[in-house]
Protein backbone atom coordinates (compact mmCIF):
# COMPACT_ATOMS: atom_id res chain seq x y z
CA UNK A 1 0.00 0.00 0.00
CA UNK A 2 1.23 3.48 -0.84
CA UNK A 3 1.78 5.71 2.20
CA UNK A 4 2.61 9.37 1.64
CA UNK A 5 3.03 12.27 4.02
CA UNK A 6 2.92 16.04 4.13
CA UNK A 7 5.38 17.25 6.74
CA UNK A 8 5.22 20.99 7.38
CA UNK A 9 7.14 22.83 10.08
CA UNK A 10 4.92 25.06 12.25
CA UNK A 11 7.21 28.05 11.85
CA UNK A 12 4.79 30.22 9.87
CA UNK A 13 1.45 30.17 8.08
CA UNK A 14 0.99 27.84 5.13
CA UNK A 15 1.06 29.44 1.69
CA UNK A 16 0.29 28.34 -1.86
CA UNK A 17 3.46 26.27 -2.12
CA UNK A 18 2.37 24.22 0.89
CA UNK A 19 -1.12 23.78 -0.56
CA UNK A 20 0.37 22.34 -3.73
CA UNK A 21 2.69 20.01 -1.78
CA UNK A 22 -0.18 18.82 0.42
CA UNK A 23 -2.42 18.15 -2.60
CA UNK A 24 0.40 16.23 -4.31
CA UNK A 25 0.98 14.02 -1.26
CA UNK A 26 -2.67 13.33 -0.61
CA UNK A 27 -3.53 12.65 -4.25
CA UNK A 28 -0.58 10.31 -4.74
CA UNK A 29 -1.96 8.22 -1.89
CA UNK A 30 -5.65 8.47 -2.67
CA UNK A 31 -5.21 7.80 -6.37
CA UNK A 32 -3.68 4.46 -5.42
CA UNK A 33 -6.00 3.57 -2.54
CA UNK A 34 -3.21 4.37 -0.07
CA UNK A 35 -2.82 6.42 3.08
CA UNK A 36 -1.97 10.08 3.42
CA UNK A 37 -0.30 11.14 6.67
CA UNK A 38 0.27 14.54 8.19
CA UNK A 39 3.40 15.03 10.30
CA UNK A 40 4.37 18.10 12.27
CA UNK A 41 8.11 18.79 11.99
CA UNK A 42 8.61 20.87 15.10
CA UNK A 43 12.07 19.77 16.26
CA UNK A 44 13.21 23.38 16.50
CA UNK A 45 11.54 24.79 19.63
CA UNK A 46 12.93 28.28 18.98
CA UNK A 47 10.97 28.56 15.72
CA UNK A 48 7.92 26.31 16.20
CA UNK A 49 4.67 27.72 17.58
CA UNK A 50 1.42 26.07 18.56
CA UNK A 51 -0.68 28.77 16.88
CA UNK A 52 1.04 27.95 13.59
CA UNK A 53 0.32 24.29 14.19
CA UNK A 54 -3.37 25.01 14.79
CA UNK A 55 -3.44 27.07 11.60
CA UNK A 56 -1.92 24.13 9.66
CA UNK A 57 -4.77 21.86 10.77
CA UNK A 58 -7.39 24.49 9.94
CA UNK A 59 -5.93 25.32 6.52
CA UNK A 60 -5.57 21.70 5.46
CA UNK A 61 -9.10 20.84 6.59
CA UNK A 62 -10.35 23.81 4.64
CA UNK A 63 -8.55 22.43 1.59
CA UNK A 64 -10.56 19.24 2.08
CA UNK A 65 -7.67 17.07 3.23
CA UNK A 66 -8.13 14.29 5.78
CA UNK A 67 -5.51 12.28 7.68
CA UNK A 68 -5.42 9.71 10.46
CA UNK A 69 -5.08 10.88 14.07
CA UNK A 70 -3.04 11.19 16.16
CA UNK A 71 -0.64 13.21 14.08
CA UNK A 72 3.04 12.53 14.74
CA UNK A 73 4.73 15.53 16.28
CA UNK A 74 8.52 15.31 16.08
CA UNK A 75 9.05 17.19 19.35
CA UNK A 76 7.45 14.24 21.15
CA UNK A 77 9.90 11.70 19.78
CA UNK A 78 13.41 12.87 20.58
CA UNK A 79 14.10 9.46 22.15
CA UNK A 80 13.70 7.81 18.73
CA UNK A 81 16.18 10.20 17.14
CA UNK A 82 18.63 9.78 20.04
CA UNK A 83 18.57 6.04 19.50
CA UNK A 84 19.39 6.41 15.81
CA UNK A 85 22.19 8.81 16.71
CA UNK A 86 23.60 6.31 19.17
CA UNK A 87 23.56 3.66 16.48
CA UNK A 88 25.62 5.87 14.16
CA UNK A 89 27.96 6.77 17.00
CA UNK A 90 28.60 3.11 17.77
CA UNK A 91 29.56 2.66 14.13
CA UNK A 92 32.17 5.41 14.63
CA UNK A 93 30.56 7.66 12.04
CA UNK A 94 30.01 10.80 14.13
CA UNK A 95 32.47 13.41 15.29
CA UNK A 96 32.10 16.55 17.37
CA UNK A 97 32.52 19.81 15.46
CA UNK A 98 33.38 22.92 17.43
CA UNK A 99 33.40 25.36 14.50
CA UNK A 100 31.23 28.46 14.45
CA UNK A 101 29.56 29.56 11.21
CA UNK A 102 32.14 32.26 10.90
CA UNK A 103 35.06 29.89 11.32
CA UNK A 104 33.58 27.65 8.63
CA UNK A 105 33.27 30.58 6.21
CA UNK A 106 36.86 31.66 6.96
CA UNK A 107 38.19 28.15 6.45
CA UNK A 108 36.40 27.87 3.12
CA UNK A 109 37.87 31.19 1.99
CA UNK A 110 41.36 30.26 3.21
CA UNK A 111 41.35 26.90 1.46
CA UNK A 112 40.07 28.52 -1.72
CA UNK A 113 37.25 26.00 -1.86
CA UNK A 114 34.58 26.59 -4.46
CA UNK A 115 31.44 27.91 -2.80
CA UNK A 116 29.40 26.45 -5.69
CA UNK A 117 28.14 23.53 -3.67
CA UNK A 118 26.75 26.01 -1.15
CA UNK A 119 23.48 26.14 -3.04
CA UNK A 120 22.89 22.44 -2.73
CA UNK A 121 21.17 22.58 0.57
CA UNK A 122 19.57 25.10 2.83
CA UNK A 123 22.17 24.23 5.41
CA UNK A 124 24.82 26.53 4.09
CA UNK A 125 28.21 25.75 2.63
CA UNK A 126 29.66 22.26 2.56
CA UNK A 127 31.62 21.81 5.75
CA UNK A 128 35.36 21.74 4.99
CA UNK A 129 35.98 19.01 7.54
CA UNK A 130 38.16 20.97 9.96
CA UNK A 131 37.13 19.11 13.10
CA UNK A 132 37.19 15.72 11.40
CA UNK A 133 40.97 16.03 11.54
CA UNK A 134 41.26 16.87 15.24
CA UNK A 135 43.38 14.49 17.27
CA UNK A 136 41.72 12.42 19.97
CA UNK A 137 43.58 14.50 22.60
CA UNK A 138 42.35 17.85 21.31
CA UNK A 139 38.84 16.49 20.99
CA UNK A 140 38.84 15.17 24.55
CA UNK A 141 40.31 18.40 25.86
CA UNK A 142 37.69 20.58 24.17
CA UNK A 143 34.84 18.33 25.28
CA UNK A 144 36.17 18.38 28.85
CA UNK A 145 36.35 22.17 28.67
CA UNK A 146 32.66 22.23 27.81
CA UNK A 147 33.06 23.85 24.37
CA UNK A 148 29.81 23.86 22.39
CA UNK A 149 29.76 21.35 19.56
CA UNK A 150 27.58 19.77 16.89
CA UNK A 151 27.72 16.12 15.90
CA UNK A 152 28.54 15.68 12.23
CA UNK A 153 28.27 12.60 10.05
CA UNK A 154 31.60 11.50 8.56
CA UNK A 155 30.21 10.97 5.07
CA UNK A 156 33.40 9.67 3.43
CA UNK A 157 33.93 7.10 6.14
CA UNK A 158 30.27 6.10 5.98
CA UNK A 159 30.41 5.67 2.21
CA UNK A 160 33.53 3.53 2.48
CA UNK A 161 31.68 0.96 4.54
CA UNK A 162 28.96 0.56 1.91
CA UNK A 163 28.40 -0.90 -1.53
CA UNK A 164 29.49 1.64 -4.18
CA UNK A 165 26.12 2.68 -5.49
CA UNK A 166 23.37 3.95 -3.25
CA UNK A 167 20.33 4.39 -5.41
CA UNK A 168 16.76 5.55 -5.05
CA UNK A 169 13.77 5.69 -7.35
CA UNK A 170 12.67 9.13 -8.48
CA UNK A 171 9.09 8.97 -9.68
CA UNK A 172 8.83 12.70 -10.18
CA UNK A 173 11.59 14.99 -11.33
CA UNK A 174 14.62 16.52 -9.68
CA UNK A 175 15.64 20.15 -10.34
CA UNK A 176 17.64 19.12 -13.43
CA UNK A 177 15.03 16.75 -14.78
CA UNK A 178 16.31 13.70 -12.90
CA UNK A 179 13.87 10.80 -12.97
CA UNK A 180 14.01 7.03 -12.71
CA UNK A 181 16.77 5.31 -10.75
CA UNK A 182 19.14 7.87 -9.20
CA UNK A 183 22.55 7.43 -7.64
CA UNK A 184 22.75 9.24 -4.31
CA UNK A 185 25.76 11.52 -3.96
CA UNK A 186 25.86 12.45 -0.26
CA UNK A 187 29.44 13.69 -0.58
CA UNK A 188 28.03 16.72 -2.41
CA UNK A 189 26.45 17.87 0.84
CA UNK A 190 29.41 16.87 2.98
CA UNK A 191 29.50 16.14 6.69
CA UNK A 192 26.05 17.39 7.67
CA UNK A 193 25.14 18.18 11.28
CA UNK A 194 22.91 15.49 12.79
CA UNK A 195 22.55 16.94 16.27
CA UNK A 196 23.54 19.83 18.48
CA UNK A 197 22.96 20.61 22.10
CA UNK A 198 20.03 22.96 21.66
CA UNK A 199 18.65 20.82 18.82
CA UNK A 200 19.29 17.14 19.57
CA UNK A 201 18.05 15.92 16.16
CA UNK A 202 18.56 17.53 12.79
CA UNK A 203 16.00 17.60 9.98
CA UNK A 204 17.71 14.77 8.06
CA UNK A 205 17.86 12.44 11.03
CA UNK A 206 14.29 13.03 12.17
CA UNK A 207 12.82 12.69 8.66
CA UNK A 208 14.58 9.41 7.96
CA UNK A 209 13.59 7.88 11.30
CA UNK A 210 9.99 9.07 11.00
CA UNK A 211 9.46 8.01 7.39
CA UNK A 212 10.57 4.51 8.41
CA UNK A 213 8.58 4.36 11.66
CA UNK A 214 5.46 5.59 9.90
CA UNK A 215 5.82 3.19 7.00
CA UNK A 216 6.05 5.95 4.38
CA UNK A 217 6.58 4.32 0.98
CA UNK A 218 6.51 7.42 -1.25
CA UNK A 219 8.05 10.74 -0.22
CA UNK A 220 6.54 13.59 -2.21
CA UNK A 221 8.03 17.06 -1.74
CA UNK A 222 9.38 20.03 -3.64
CA UNK A 223 12.48 19.59 -5.76
CA UNK A 224 14.39 22.04 -3.57
CA UNK A 225 14.78 19.01 -1.27
CA UNK A 226 16.11 16.74 -4.00
CA UNK A 227 19.75 17.01 -2.78
CA UNK A 228 18.61 16.28 0.78
CA UNK A 229 17.56 12.87 -0.53
CA UNK A 230 21.25 12.03 -1.06
CA UNK A 231 22.01 12.30 2.64
CA UNK A 232 18.72 10.78 3.72
CA UNK A 233 19.32 7.79 1.43
CA UNK A 234 22.71 7.27 3.08
CA UNK A 235 21.19 7.45 6.56
CA UNK A 236 18.56 4.88 5.60
CA UNK A 237 21.23 2.35 4.70
CA UNK A 238 23.41 3.12 7.72
CA UNK A 239 20.42 2.72 10.05
CA UNK A 240 19.14 -0.32 8.18
CA UNK A 241 15.81 1.30 7.35
CA UNK A 242 13.52 0.65 4.38
CA UNK A 243 13.99 2.95 1.40
CA UNK A 244 10.90 4.77 0.13
CA UNK A 245 10.44 5.94 -3.45
CA UNK A 246 10.58 9.69 -4.08
CA UNK A 247 8.49 12.02 -6.17
CA UNK A 248 9.91 15.52 -6.11
CA UNK A 249 7.66 18.11 -7.66
CA UNK A 250 7.84 21.62 -9.03
CA UNK A 251 7.80 24.60 -6.70
CA UNK A 252 5.07 27.19 -6.73
CA UNK A 253 6.81 30.49 -7.34
CA UNK A 254 5.73 34.07 -6.87
CA UNK A 255 5.39 36.35 -9.92
CA UNK A 256 9.07 37.29 -9.55
CA UNK A 257 10.06 33.63 -9.78
CA UNK A 258 10.98 33.27 -6.12
CA UNK A 259 9.83 30.65 -3.65
CA UNK A 260 7.03 31.91 -1.44
CA UNK A 261 8.34 32.85 1.95
CA UNK A 262 6.65 32.25 5.27
CA UNK A 263 7.10 35.94 5.93
CA UNK A 264 4.97 36.94 2.96
CA UNK A 265 1.59 37.37 4.64
CA UNK A 266 -0.35 38.19 1.47
CA UNK A 267 -0.14 34.70 0.04
CA UNK A 268 -0.91 32.70 3.16
CA UNK A 269 -3.84 30.33 2.77
CA UNK A 270 -5.49 32.01 5.77
CA UNK A 271 -5.42 35.39 4.11
CA UNK A 272 -6.54 34.05 0.72
CA UNK A 273 -9.46 32.36 2.48
CA UNK A 274 -10.39 35.60 4.22
CA UNK A 275 -10.47 37.25 0.84
CA UNK A 276 -12.95 34.77 -0.55
CA UNK A 277 -10.76 32.04 -2.03
CA UNK A 278 -12.17 28.51 -2.12
CA UNK A 279 -10.55 25.11 -2.36
CA UNK A 280 -11.21 25.27 -6.10
CA UNK A 281 -9.62 28.66 -6.59
CA UNK A 282 -6.57 27.57 -4.59
CA UNK A 283 -6.24 24.48 -6.79
CA UNK A 284 -6.46 26.68 -9.87
CA UNK A 285 -3.88 29.10 -8.46
CA UNK A 286 -1.34 26.29 -8.12
CA UNK A 287 -2.13 24.89 -11.53
CA UNK A 288 -4.21 21.86 -10.55
N1 LIG B 1 9.54 19.88 7.11
C1 LIG B 1 10.10 20.13 5.84
C2 LIG B 1 9.67 21.49 5.33
O1 LIG B 1 8.87 22.14 5.94
C3 LIG B 1 9.69 19.09 4.80
C4 LIG B 1 10.37 17.81 5.01
C5 LIG B 1 10.22 16.78 3.92
O2 LIG B 1 9.23 16.78 3.20
O3 LIG B 1 11.09 15.95 3.85
O4 LIG B 1 10.16 21.93 4.33
Amino acid sequence: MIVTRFAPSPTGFLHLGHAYAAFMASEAAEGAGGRFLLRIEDIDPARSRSDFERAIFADLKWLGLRWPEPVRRQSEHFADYAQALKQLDRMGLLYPCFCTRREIAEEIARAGLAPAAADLSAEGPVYPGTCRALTAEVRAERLARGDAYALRLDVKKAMKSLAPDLTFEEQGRGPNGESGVQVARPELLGDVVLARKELPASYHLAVVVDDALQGVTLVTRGWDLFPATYIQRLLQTLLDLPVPAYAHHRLILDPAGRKFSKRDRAVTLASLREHGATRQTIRAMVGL
Side-chain angles (χ1 to χ4, degrees), residues 88 153 194 204 208 231-239:
L88 296 168
L153 177 67
L194 292 188
H204 293 303
V208 159
I231 283 289
Q232 293 173 18
R233 180 63 190 81
L234 172 61
L235 289 172
Q236 285 152 3
T237 290
L238 295 173
L239 295 168

Side-chain angles (χ1 to χ4, degrees), residues 5-11 18 39-42 74 203 207-208 211 219-222 224-225 228 232 246 248 259 262:
R5 84 309 194 266
F6 175 56
S9 299
T11 54
H18 294 108
R39 180 167 76 221
I40 298 295
E41 303 217 319
D42 59 348
Q74 291 190 322
Y203 156 67
V207 160
V208 159
D211 284 342
V219 172
T220 67
R221 58 188 179 194
D224 52 332
L225 287 172
Q232 293 173 18
Y246 289 83
H248 292 92
K259 262 173 63 174
K262 290 193 170 165

Side-chain angles (χ1 to χ4, degrees), residues 167-214:
T167 59
F168 62 94
E169 188 196 337
E170 175 59 55
Q171 294 182 357
R173 236 156 38 79
N176 300 310
E178 301 91 335
S179 67
V181 176
Q182 303 296 308
V183 175
R185 301 183 62 199
E187 69 283 1
L188 293 180
L189 283 89
D191 292 354
V192 292
V193 169
L194 292 188
R196 41 177 109 244
K197 191 162 168 222
E198 65 292 358
L199 206 65
S202 76
Y203 156 67
H204 293 303
L205 187 70
V207 160
V208 159
V209 168
D210 283 357
D211 284 342
L213 280 175
Q214 295 190 286

Side-chain angles (χ1 to χ4, degrees), residues 57-75:
F57 297 143
D59 288 343
L60 295 178
K61 281 193 182 134
W62 174 66
L63 289 178
L65 302 183
R66 296 292 176 264
W67 53 87
E69 303 276 354
V71 163
R72 186 171 171 94
R73 219 180 251 116
Q74 291 190 322
S75 61

Side-chain angles (χ1 to χ4, degrees), residues 256-271:
R258 286 182 304 246
K259 262 173 63 174
F260 284 117
S261 142
K262 290 193 170 165
R263 286 170 294 281
D264 193 349
R265 295 297 293 256
V267 293
T268 63
L269 298 178
S271 118

